[in-house]
Amino acid sequence: MDLSENSRQSLLPNFLYSSSATRNLALGRVLSRNPGPPAPPPSNGGASEGSFLIQAPSEPGKIALYSPAYYAACTAGGIASCGLTHTAVTPLDLVKCNMQIDPVKYKSITSGFGVLLREQGMRGLFRGWVPTLIGYSAQGACKFGFYEFFKKYYSDIAGPEYASKYKTLIYLAGSASAEVIADVALCPMEAVKVRVQTQPGFARGLSDGFPKFVKSEGYQGLYKGLVPLWGRQIPYTMMKFASFETIVELLYKYSIPTPKEECSKTLQLGVSFAGGYIAGVFCAVVSHPADNLVSFLNNAKGATVGDAVKKLGLWGLFTRGLPLRIVMIGTLTGAQWGIYDSFKVMVGLPTTGGVAPAAAPAPEHAQLKASA
């Protein structure tokens, strides 16, 4: 078996792996009718001769796919990916939120930045960065960690053949499930962030803004925007993950002549950023109406969805602040995938996407192939 084939097998879902190297060896001996004491597990992590099951990678110092350490690494990568990027684009987010709330005062991106600089100075451009960092770090941990978990979980339920055939549905289901949990973690910080950013004088940041928000609206008020947040983030995340996986697979299939496992890590990370940026444009368009609702509801005490629709209008829900959000979300999503996959590469894991899952061979076929 050559190196490229080994690389491809190492990316297969865990339902193709045996639970134990020793079990594989014993089973292989039974199939080959080769008596004798069981040999110790091979140190190279590959499948032994006569075994039809594919073993999980077990190289020293490497993280085995779908192990607890793997999910922990994906969670840590998600924290860095979402927390850092959302904090970095706080000025853009600040202008965008104010354009949504007060379009008369904040008429455009340029004038919006000008108003903020005149009234609050350079420091004001990063108002709300602390709840942004905490909230989106928690969201990123759940979003990426649970996505990897649910993608594997639903693949196991579907089985090898259907997991390969309906991989896009698995991406959509896995990302939606992960985002439901992630938004519960994000919602309180998002509520405080929007109030701090859109109501000058309300609070300097999280330390005084959080208790002031709770005193005004109670702890339940922190989750007032949860349903609109789900409405914004679930379609966004479904588009983000499913389109990214599809775009990256197409890039490797049609635009890059070299198989993914033979590409340099630098090229692979470049593909991750490009795929993320393109996916981010789709994400922004799909989730923008709900983003307007979240900003409106968290800014106005006692406001309802009906109030938002009445004031903004359907056209305003879909278009107000959209160009800025496309730039922001495209850059944000590209950077997130770049950071996430960079972290995975740093800890010895493969980058995301690019290789379609393959169905497991039938045991009889694999046995004949092994004995040939």
Side-chain angles (χ1 to χ4, degrees):
M1 184 178 294
D2 61 20
L3 180 60
S4 63
E5 188 175 353
N6 273 328
S7 301
R8 290 178 185 275
Q9 288 185 346
S10 70
L11 296 176
L12 294 175
N14 202 35
F15 49 65
L16 302 182
Y17 295 140
S18 64
S19 59
S20 164
T22 304
R23 178 167 168 252
N24 275 356
L25 285 169
L27 188 54
R29 290 182 179 278
V30 170
L31 292 173
S32 61
R33 304 191 179 193
N34 182 18
S43 59
N44 61 2
S48 63
E49 184 177 357
S51 171
F52 64 81
L53 295 177
I54 303 169
Q55 290 184 311
S58 57
E59 297 178 37
K62 296 288 186 179
I63 297 176
L65 293 177
Y66 313 113
S67 65
Y70 172 80
Y71 293 119
C74 293
T75 299
I79 292 173
S81 170
C82 292
L84 294 177
T85 52
H86 276 277
T87 303
V89 298
T90 296
L92 283 173
D93 187 44
L94 183 62
V95 173
K96 183 262 304 178
C97 287
N98 280 283
M99 287 176 65
Q100 292 170 331
I101 297 302
D102 191 355
V104 175
K105 184 176 181 179
Y106 299 89
K107 296 182 176 63
S108 66
I109 299 172
T110 305
S111 66
F113 274 109
V115 170
L116 287 172
L117 284 171
R118 285 196 304 272
E119 294 185 353
Q120 302 179 34
M122 284 295 298
R123 191 174 181 180
L125 292 179
F126 283 89
R127 182 181 294 274
W129 73 269
V130 176
T132 297
L133 176 62
I134 295 174
Y136 282 95
S137 293
Q139 187 213 34
C142 297
K143 184 198 297 276
F144 282 91
F146 279 110
Y147 171 69
E148 299 286 357
F149 171 81
F150 283 118
K151 183 169 68 169
K152 165 70 168 57
Y153 179 73
Y154 294 142
S155 294
D156 285 349
I157 292 175
E161 181 181 353
Y162 289 109
S164 177
K165 187 176 181 180
Y166 300 109
K167 58 183 180 295
T168 301
L169 291 178
I170 289 175
Y171 300 151
L172 291 169
S175 57
S177 300
E179 191 60 38
V180 169
I181 300 170
D183 288 344
V184 174
L186 169 64
C187 195
M189 293 296 102
E190 179 75 359
V192 175
K193 174 189 79 74
V194 171
R195 188 66 62 87
V196 169
Q197 288 181 336
T198 59
Q199 289 189 8
F202 173 77
R204 295 186 305 274
L206 179 65
S207 59
D208 57 337
F210 186 87
K212 195 170 182 179
F213 190 103
V214 171
K215 184 177 179 180
S216 172
E217 304 204 25
Y219 285 100
Q220 69 276 10
L222 293 170
Y223 285 93
K224 180 177 67 174
L226 180 59
V227 174
L229 191 62
W230 276 334
R232 180 187 80 184
Q233 290 297 132
I234 291 176
Y236 165 86
T237 300
M238 292 172 71
M239 181 67 72
K240 173 180 180 176
F241 283 88
S243 62
F244 172 82
E245 297 260 17
T246 302
I247 290 165
V248 168
E249 186 176 331
L250 292 174
L251 287 174
Y252 281 114
K253 188 174 182 179
Y254 296 108
S255 299
I256 301 174
T258 308
K260 177 187 174 182
E261 61 271 13
E262 297 178 15
C263 295
S264 68
K265 294 301 181 183
T266 302
L267 177 57
Q268 291 185 37
L269 292 175
V271 170
S272 295
F273 177 82
Y277 196 100
I278 297 169
V281 175
F282 294 120
C283 292
V285 174
V286 167
S287 61
H288 193 66
D291 184 62
N292 274 319
L293 285 178
V294 170
S295 296
F296 186 90
L297 292 176
N298 284 325
N299 178 69
K301 182 178 179 179
T304 65
V305 173
D307 295 332
V309 174
K310 184 177 179 180
K311 182 172 182 178
L312 299 177
L314 288 176
W315 180 252
L317 279 176
F318 280 89
T319 61
R320 182 173 293 178
L322 180 59
L324 177 58
R325 192 157 186 267
I326 286 176
V327 174
M328 185 181 80
I329 297 299
T331 305
L332 193 72
T333 308
Q336 284 178 357
W337 279 113
I339 293 172
Y340 179 66
D341 275 351
S342 294
F343 186 87
K344 289 175 74 175
V345 167
M346 184 180 70
V347 298
L349 292 170
T351 57
T352 309
V355 178
E364 297 81 2
H365 175 75
Q367 182 184 353
L368 291 173
K369 184 177 179 181
S371 61

